[in-house]
Amino acid sequence: MKRKITLKQIARELDVSISTVSKALSGSKEISEDTTQKIQAFAKLYNYRPNNIALSLKNRKTKTIGILIPEIVHHFFSTVIRGIELVANKRGYNVIVGLSNESFTKEIINMEMLANGSIDGFILSISKETLLKQDYHHFNATINQGMPIVMFDRVVNEIKCDKVIVDDYKGSIKAVNMLIEKGSKNIALITTMDYVSVGKLRTQGYLEALEASKIVPDSNLILKIDDSLVDEDLEDLENEIEQFFKSNNKIDGVFAVNELYAVTAMKVARKLGLSIPDDIQVIGFTDGVLSKHATPSLTTVSQHGQKIGEQSADLLIDRLELEEDESLDYTDENERNENFKTIIIETEIIERESTK
Amino acid sequence: MKRKITLKQIARELDVSISTVSKALSGSKEISEDTTQKIQAFAKLYNYRPNNIALSLKNRKTKTIGILIPEIVHHFFSTVIRGIELVANKRGYNVIVGLSNESFTKEIINMEMLANGSIDGFILSISKETLLKQDYHHFNATINQGMPIVMFDRVVNEIKCDKVIVDDYKGSIKAVNMLIEKGSKNIALITTMDYVSVGKLRTQGYLEALEASKIVPDSNLILKIDDSLVDEDLEDLENEIEQFFKSNNKIDGVFAVNELYAVTAMKVARKLGLSIPDDIQVIGFTDGVLSKHATPSLTTVSQHGQKIGEQSADLLIDRLELEEDESLDYTDENERNENFKTIIIETEIIERESTK
DNA sequence: ATTCGTAGCGAAAACGTTTTCGTGTTGACA
DNA sequence: TGTCAACACGAAAACGTTTTCGCTACGAAT
C-alpha cells in the first residue's frame, strides 16, 4: 500500500527542489529539457497526480458545486441532479449532495457544513418547511459571504440570486386548455396547499385557463390536499379523491399538480366505473416513471428536469468563472453583479392515453 | 460582501498570535480566561468557522465519502444514496456523487477525479460496461493507494473490499415459492442478460425454487431481455413480452427480475385478456414507485435500498476511523485488514394485488 | 577586463489550520 | 537575593501546491 506520491518526494528522490519539479511537470521552459524529461518520466512512473485539497487551498476554490435538495428519492429531483452532474463534470466540477428532507433545520445545517470552504457555490431547491416559515436568512447569509446560489423550481423572489424555474403557470394553462379542447366541460383541479409556490402557480394557471374560455370556476371542483410534510398515506389520498369524485359526479376532466395525484385519480375513477379517457380525461404535472408506465399511460406536463439541472449548473459556473476575473475590479460593493438572471424552462405536454 | 474571516484576521484584529486564537477557540486552558473570552466573543460576532479545506489538508482526511453509481434517475439507487447520506451526515461526513452512466470510461475518470485527495473512501456499484469487460484494475489501483472501497449490489468477488449485497438468490426463491404456493403451475421468468451478476443470481434462484418443488424448468418459459446499455425502448419491450406470452399460453405466473419488466408484463397480460391475479400472477424484484402505484399494485421483492446505503456507509466509516488509530501499528503490509466483510441484506416480499 | 544578459535552478511565501516547542514574566520559596 | 515552577503566550513547522523573486554561473559584448 503505497500512499500517493507528492512533489516533495519526487524532489528528494531526484535531488532537485520542489519548485523545479512543479515547474517541470507544468512544462515551464524555465527548466532545462533534460531535467524536465527526467522529472516527467519519474512522475509518470509513480503515477503522480496533484493533490486536490492542496490545490483548493492554494487557489481558494474547490471546483465543487453543492446541491441541496429536499429529497432524492424523487424522479424530478434526480433528473435535475443528473443534469447538474452532466455539465458540472463537463466543465471540470464535482458535485456534493446534501438532503434537507424538507426540514428547515437540516437545510441550515447542511448549508453551514458546506459553506465553510467545501464548495464554490450552491444549487438548491427550498424545503417545504422553510417555505412555510418564510425564514430565508441562511440564504442571504451565504450569499453575503460571497458564495453564489442558484435556486431552481422552488424559489422565492426576495432572494437576490440566479434562478431556474419551470413555467408552472403557462404549463397549467396549456394543460387545461387541452382538456377543454378535447371536450371536457367540468374540469377538476387536484392540488396542494398554497405555501408551495409551484402549487399556487399551477392553481392560478388552472383558473386563468378556465376564465379565458369563459368557464366559471367552481370551488367545489378544486381539491386541496394537505400533504403536510408526509406523503405516505396512499389510502388517505385515495379516499379523499374518491369522496371528491362522488360528491362531484359531473367531473369529466382532471388536472392534477403532480403525477401521483393524477395516477391516483385515474385509479379511483376506474374503481368508480368511469372509463379513461372517454368518461373522464386526466392530465398531470411532472412527467415521471409513473406517468409513462401507468395504464392507461398518463398525459403530462413535462418539466424537463434534466434541462433545469443543466441550466442551473451553467448559470452557477458562469458566475463563478466570471468572478475570477472581476474579483478585484469591483471592490465597489454596490453596483456589482446585480444582474441576476431568471431562466424559465418551457413546459411541454406529452400526450398519452389518458386524454382523447 | 465580507469574505469569511480567518484565524489570521482575528489575530491581527485582537493583537495576539494565530496560535493563541486557535487555542482560545478550542478552549485550551493554556490561554488565560480573559483572552479566551475576548477571542471567543469576537469570533462569535464575526461568525468564525474553520475552513474545511485547510483542515482537510492538515488532517489528511476530508470527511467526505465518494459515491459512484451507474445512474441516479432510478428508484433503487436513489434510496441507497438516501441511506448513505443519512448515516454519513449523522457521523459528520459529506457525500460527493459521481455518475458512471453505465460507462467504463466515465467510471474511471470519475474515480481518478475523486481519488486525488477529494474524498476518504468510495461507496460504489459497478457499471454494466465494466462488468461486461471484467476489467477491474481501477478498483485495485485505488485500493492499493490506501483508499477503502465499499461495493454494493453489483459487486465482484475478486476485489478485496467490504461489500453489501442483497440476497438475490434467496429473494428469488421466496418469490417463486410464493407463486407456487398460490397455485401457479407454469411460472415464467423475465430476466436480463447474464453478465449483470444480480440477474444471474435471480435466475439461479428461480431455477432452484422450481426444482425444489419437483417442477422441471422449461427453457421456453425463460425470457432474457437484452437491454444492452439502453432501456428506453418501451415498445420493443412490450412486443417482446407479448410474443413471449403468445407462444406460451399456459403461463399462469410470472417472476420478473425488476419492476419495469413486471409492470410491463401485467400490461401485456391485460391486453391479452388475462386477468390478474386470477389467470396469471406476477411478482417483481425491486420495490419501487411503479410497483406501489400500478393497477393492480404489484407484489414485489423489496431490496431495502436505504438499509443497503446505511450499512455501506457504516462499513466505510468504521474502516476509516479504524485506520486512524492503527495506521502506525500495522506497517506490516501483509496481515493488515484482510478482514473484509460482506453484509447480506435480507429481502422481504411485499404482498399486493398481483398475487392471490 | 568589466559589464551585461540569460539560462537554470532554489528559497520562500502563500493558502488556513493545529500543535509542538520554546520563551519571557511572574510569584513563591529557600 | 537567587532559583524554580507555573502561567500565558508566540514562533514555527507541517499538510501539498504554485508562483514570485533571487541567485549563480557562463558566454557575449564593450
Side-chain angles (χ1 to χ4, degrees):
Chain A
M1 191 188 73
K2 353 158 195 194
R3 286 219 96 72
K4 298 229 67 181
I5 199 171
T6 69
L7 285 187
K8 190 191 283 194
Q9 296 172 36
I10 300 184
R12 198 186 312 141
E13 219 56 38
L14 261 44
D15 214 50
V16 290
S17 79
I18 297 183
S19 359
T20 305
V21 179
S22 174
K23 288 170 188 165
L25 289 179
S26 65
S28 160
K29 54 189 172 151
E30 231 182 300
I31 307 298
S32 77
E33 214 164 312
D34 271 8
T35 321
T36 302
Q37 291 226 341
K38 195 175 54 177
I39 293 179
Q40 285 186 347
F42 190 91
K44 174 163 284 178
L45 180 62
Y46 282 88
N47 193 32
Y48 169 80
R49 295 275 181 276
N51 180 304
N52 281 336
I53 297 293
L55 286 180
S56 296
L57 184 58
K58 180 129 213 8
N59 302 331
R60 294 146 122 231
K61 62 184 164 204
T62 60
K63 289 273 185 181
T64 306
I65 294 176
I67 304 182
L68 188 47
I69 52 174
E71 170 62 272
I72 197 171
V73 188
H74 195 294
H75 187 267
F76 173 66
F77 285 122
S78 52
T79 39
V80 174
I81 296 189
R82 186 211 261 155
I84 296 176
E85 212 264 352
L86 186 74
V87 342
N89 249 13
K90 196 180 296 167
R91 299 183 67 170
Y93 283 73
N94 280 118
V95 294
I96 185 164
V97 173
L99 270 33
S100 71
N101 211 18
E102 303 287 10
S103 142
F104 177 69
T105 321
K106 269 211 74 180
E107 189 171 89
I108 292 188
I109 293 180
N110 254 302
M111 287 200 77
E112 291 187 342
M113 199 157 169
L114 295 180
N116 299 316
S118 303
I119 61 170
D120 295 340
F122 274 107
I123 297 179
L124 60 82
S125 193
I126 309 179
S127 84
K128 280 185 194 168
E129 199 186 349
T130 307
L131 253 14
L132 202 60
K133 281 180 119 86
Q134 305 196 28
D135 180 348
Y136 310 124
H137 74 276
H138 47 308
F139 301 134
N140 285 320
T142 51
I143 290 173
N144 283 334
Q145 277 179 28
M147 176 159 303
I149 290 182
V150 174
M151 294 190 176
F152 71 89
D153 198 51
R154 301 200 201 147
V155 308
V156 296
N157 289 328
E158 14 186 335
I159 307 289
K160 298 287 176 209
C161 66
D162 291 319
K163 303 181 181 92
V164 179
I165 54 176
V166 147
D167 196 345
D168 292 288
Y169 179 71
K170 228 157 102 188
S172 302
I173 292 186
K174 279 197 262 186
V176 174
N177 278 343
M178 174 179 269
L179 288 174
I180 295 174
E181 281 165 23
K182 301 212 172 198
S184 289
K185 303 292 180 195
N186 295 287
I187 301 175
L189 170 69
I190 305 182
T191 183
T192 59
M193 290 309 195
D194 277 344
Y195 62 89
V196 176
S197 55
V198 297
K200 187 158 39 172
L201 283 169
R202 291 171 196 171
T203 302
Q204 281 177 13
Y206 162 84
L207 296 172
E208 203 68 34
L210 291 184
E211 282 167 13
S213 292
K214 313 284 183 212
I215 301 178
V216 183
D218 175 357
S219 66
N220 287 324
L221 291 183
I222 299 182
L223 175 60
K224 289 195 185 187
I225 299 204
D226 179 17
D227 62 342
S228 52
L229 308 190
V230 200
D231 34 7
E232 294 307 321
D233 314 315
L234 195 49
E235 291 268 337
D236 289 359
L237 181 60
E238 279 181 33
N239 290 334
E240 211 164 337
I241 295 180
E242 188 169 342
Q243 291 313 315
F244 177 62
F245 277 1
K246 280 182 177 162
S247 51
N248 294 280
N249 54 16
K250 54 181 184 171
I251 294 176
D252 57 358
V254 172
F255 173 55
V257 299
N258 60 47
E259 64 169 5
L260 178 57
Y261 293 174
V263 168
T264 309
M266 290 204 300
K267 194 171 193 170
V268 170
R270 254 206 322 229
K271 185 173 161 193
L272 296 179
L274 300 169
S275 110
I276 302 168
D278 297 327
D279 298 335
I280 183 169
Q281 302 188 90
V282 181
I283 297 187
F285 218 102
T286 306
D287 184 47
V289 268
L290 275 182
S291 312
K292 193 147 83 185
H293 300 291
T295 20
S297 57
L298 180 68
T299 296
T300 59
V301 181
S302 166
Q303 308 174 85
H304 301 297
Q306 176 155 348
K307 190 181 260 176
I308 294 180
E310 293 170 12
Q311 299 265 11
S312 302
D314 270 323
L315 227 43
L316 181 62
I317 298 179
D318 284 349
R319 186 168 293 276
L320 288 174
E321 314 212 317
L322 196 106
E323 278 179 358
E324 259 174 59
D325 311 326
E326 71 173 25
S327 60
L328 287 184
D329 296 359
Y330 284 85
T331 31
D332 189 0
E333 300 284 324
N334 294 327
E335 55 185 297
R336 71 182 294 280
N337 278 345
E338 290 301 324
N339 51 346
F340 290 113
K341 292 184 201 153
T342 294
I343 294 185
I344 298 176
I345 305 288
E346 290 288 326
T347 55
E348 176 193 5
I349 295 207
I350 300 188
E351 279 195 71
R352 297 208 185 84
E353 301 163 358
S354 66
T355 47
K356 291 175 196 166
Chain B
M1 192 189 69
K2 354 156 191 191
R3 286 218 96 70
K4 296 228 67 180
I5 198 170
T6 70
L7 286 188
K8 191 190 283 196
Q9 296 171 35
I10 300 185
R12 197 186 313 140
E13 219 58 36
L14 260 44
D15 215 49
V16 291
S17 80
I18 297 183
S19 0
T20 304
V21 179
S22 175
K23 289 170 189 166
L25 289 179
S26 65
S28 160
K29 54 189 172 151
E30 235 182 298
I31 307 298
S32 75
E33 215 163 311
D34 272 10
T35 322
T36 302
Q37 292 228 340
K38 194 175 58 178
I39 293 180
Q40 285 185 348
F42 190 91
K44 174 164 284 178
L45 179 63
Y46 282 88
N47 192 32
Y48 169 80
R49 294 276 182 276
N51 180 304
N52 282 333
I53 296 293
L55 285 180
S56 295
L57 184 58
K58 179 125 216 355
N59 302 330
R60 293 149 119 226
K61 61 185 167 204
T62 60
K63 290 274 185 179
T64 307
I65 293 176
I67 303 182
L68 187 48
I69 52 173
E71 171 61 273
I72 198 172
V73 187
H74 195 294
H75 188 266
F76 173 65
F77 284 121
S78 52
T79 40
V80 175
I81 296 190
R82 187 212 260 157
I84 296 176
E85 211 264 351
L86 187 72
V87 342
N89 249 17
K90 198 180 295 168
R91 299 184 67 170
Y93 283 73
N94 280 119
V95 296
I96 182 163
V97 172
L99 270 31
S100 72
N101 210 19
E102 302 288 9
S103 143
F104 176 70
T105 321
K106 267 210 76 180
E107 190 171 86
I108 292 188
I109 293 180
N110 254 299
M111 286 200 79
E112 291 187 343
M113 201 158 169
L114 295 181
N116 299 315
S118 304
I119 61 170
D120 295 339
F122 274 108
I123 296 179
L124 59 84
S125 195
I126 309 180
S127 83
K128 279 186 194 168
E129 199 186 351
T130 307
L131 251 14
L132 203 59
K133 280 180 120 89
Q134 305 196 27
D135 181 348
Y136 310 124
H137 75 276
H138 49 306
F139 301 134
N140 284 319
T142 50
I143 290 175
N144 283 334
Q145 277 177 28
M147 176 158 302
I149 292 183
V150 174
M151 294 191 174
F152 72 89
D153 197 51
R154 299 197 202 152
V155 308
V156 297
N157 288 327
E158 13 186 335
I159 307 288
K160 298 288 175 207
C161 66
D162 291 319
K163 304 181 180 91
V164 179
I165 54 176
V166 147
D167 196 345
D168 292 289
Y169 180 70
K170 229 156 102 188
S172 302
I173 292 186
K174 277 196 264 185
V176 175
N177 278 343
M178 174 177 268
L179 288 174
I180 295 174
E181 280 165 24
K182 302 214 172 195
S184 290
K185 302 294 181 193
N186 296 287
I187 301 175
L189 170 70
I190 305 181
T191 182
T192 60
M193 290 310 193
D194 278 343
Y195 62 87
V196 177
S197 56
V198 298
K200 192 165 22 178
L201 284 169
R202 290 172 195 171
T203 303
Q204 281 177 16
Y206 162 81
L207 296 172
E208 204 68 35
L210 291 184
E211 283 167 13
S213 293
K214 312 286 183 207
I215 301 178
V216 183
D218 177 357
S219 66
N220 286 325
L221 291 184
I222 298 182
L223 175 60
K224 291 196 183 186
I225 299 206
D226 180 17
D227 63 341
S228 53
L229 309 189
V230 200
D231 36 7
E232 293 307 320
D233 314 314
L234 195 50
E235 291 267 337
D236 289 358
L237 181 61
E238 278 181 34
N239 289 334
E240 213 166 333
I241 295 180
E242 187 168 342
Q243 291 311 315
F244 178 63
F245 277 179
K246 280 182 177 164
S247 51
N248 295 280
N249 55 16
K250 53 182 183 169
I251 293 174
D252 57 358
V254 171
F255 172 56
V257 299
N258 60 46
E259 64 169 5
L260 177 57
Y261 293 174
V263 169
T264 311
M266 291 203 301
K267 195 170 192 171
V268 171
R270 254 207 321 232
K271 187 172 161 194
L272 297 179
L274 300 169
S275 108
I276 302 169
D278 296 327
D279 298 335
I280 184 168
Q281 302 187 89
V282 182
I283 297 187
F285 219 103
T286 306
D287 185 47
V289 267
L290 275 183
S291 312
K292 191 147 83 185
H293 299 291
T295 17
S297 56
L298 180 67
T299 297
T300 60
V301 182
S302 166
Q303 308 175 86
H304 300 298
Q306 177 157 347
K307 191 181 263 177
I308 293 180
E310 294 170 12
Q311 299 264 11
S312 301
D314 271 322
L315 227 42
L316 181 62
I317 298 179
D318 284 348
R319 187 168 292 278
L320 290 174
E321 314 212 317
L322 195 106
E323 278 178 0
E324 258 174 59
D325 311 326
E326 70 172 25
S327 60
L328 288 184
D329 297 358
Y330 283 85
T331 31
D332 189 1
E333 300 283 326
N334 296 326
E335 57 184 295
R336 71 184 293 282
N337 278 344
E338 290 302 325
N339 53 345
F340 291 113
K341 293 186 200 151
T342 293
I343 294 184
I344 298 176
I345 305 289
E346 291 289 325
T347 55
E348 176 193 6
I349 296 207
I350 299 187
E351 279 195 71
R352 297 208 185 86
E353 300 164 357
S354 66
T355 49
K356 292 174 195 166

